Amino acid sequence: MNKKEIITLGVLIAVMPPIWAVASPYLGNSVGPIALIAAGIYGTNGNKFEDAHKIALGYLAGDIWALLSGSIMTHTPFNADLTLFCTLAVFGFLAVIISNLLPDIFHMPSWLAGWAIGMLTMNLDTTTPRLNLAVQIGIAMLVGVYYVGVLLDRIHRLWNSKK
């Protein structure tokens, strides 16, 4: 990356994610920083727009996995450790199998990361209703992929294509 690309990327990172960070609570999203985490896999994947949709769907699948696994673990009459192990084993196995059977639909790393992000967030926030929290998490993940990831990258490329 040349000096101009570094400076323009720095400016965009200095402006766009903070806009979301300030706006998200006013938009009813208490988990805005998840967007920055979600943007990471998009960036690590090479900012490939053609993969944005499957990365986003992977995140949403992981969010649903977190909601389901959290519900299972909360409402089980069985030993908590055994339930945790079995839930993680079964859901992890299924995420790998499904994402590999449908690689054009689901991105496995974002599914697994989305699941971990969702579980952590739901474990830390025990006051927000779980479904409401899952919706907020999903929105923040989509903001991460499409606003912090795709839009920022498109603006950066456009800005640097001008001579």
Side-chain angles (χ1 to χ4, degrees):
M1 214 182 294
N2 68 37
K3 192 175 184 178
K4 179 185 175 192
E5 291 172 333
I6 293 168
I7 297 296
T8 56
L9 181 59
V11 168
L12 289 168
I13 293 293
V15 173
M16 292 179 69
I19 288 172
W20 168 249
V22 170
S24 63
Y26 293 102
L27 299 171
N29 194 305
S30 64
V31 294
I34 288 174
L36 300 178
I37 300 167
I41 285 183
Y42 180 78
T44 302
N45 193 54
N47 293 322
K48 296 179 194 167
F49 178 73
E50 63 272 13
D51 290 344
H53 306 309
K54 69 181 185 177
I55 290 170
L57 287 173
Y59 276 128
L60 294 178
D63 190 24
I64 292 167
W65 246 222
L67 182 63
L68 293 173
S69 59
S71 295
I72 289 169
M73 290 183 284
T74 300
H75 296 99
T76 184
F78 304 110
N79 175 282
D81 292 335
L82 181 61
T83 301
L84 174 62
F85 177 83
C86 290
T87 302
L88 295 178
V90 170
F91 277 62
F93 176 82
L94 289 173
V96 169
I97 299 302
I98 294 167
S99 62
N100 278 283
L101 288 174
L102 303 168
D104 293 335
I105 298 173
F106 298 107
H107 185 252
M108 184 177 57
S110 64
W111 188 330
L112 296 173
W115 182 25
I117 292 164
M119 286 185 66
L120 175 63
T121 305
M122 290 177 197
N123 285 336
L124 293 175
D125 182 347
T126 57
T127 60
T128 305
R130 192 169 276 157
L131 182 58
N132 181 294
L133 193 55
V135 170
Q136 289 184 53
I137 291 166
I139 290 168
M141 290 173 172
L142 294 176
V143 167
V145 172
Y146 292 109
Y147 172 71
V148 179
V150 173
L151 183 61
L152 189 146
D153 182 58
R154 293 288 171 113
I155 293 170
H156 184 247
R157 290 175 195 245
L158 180 66
W159 203 349
N160 286 291
S161 67
K162 297 178 182 178
K163 299 293 176 189

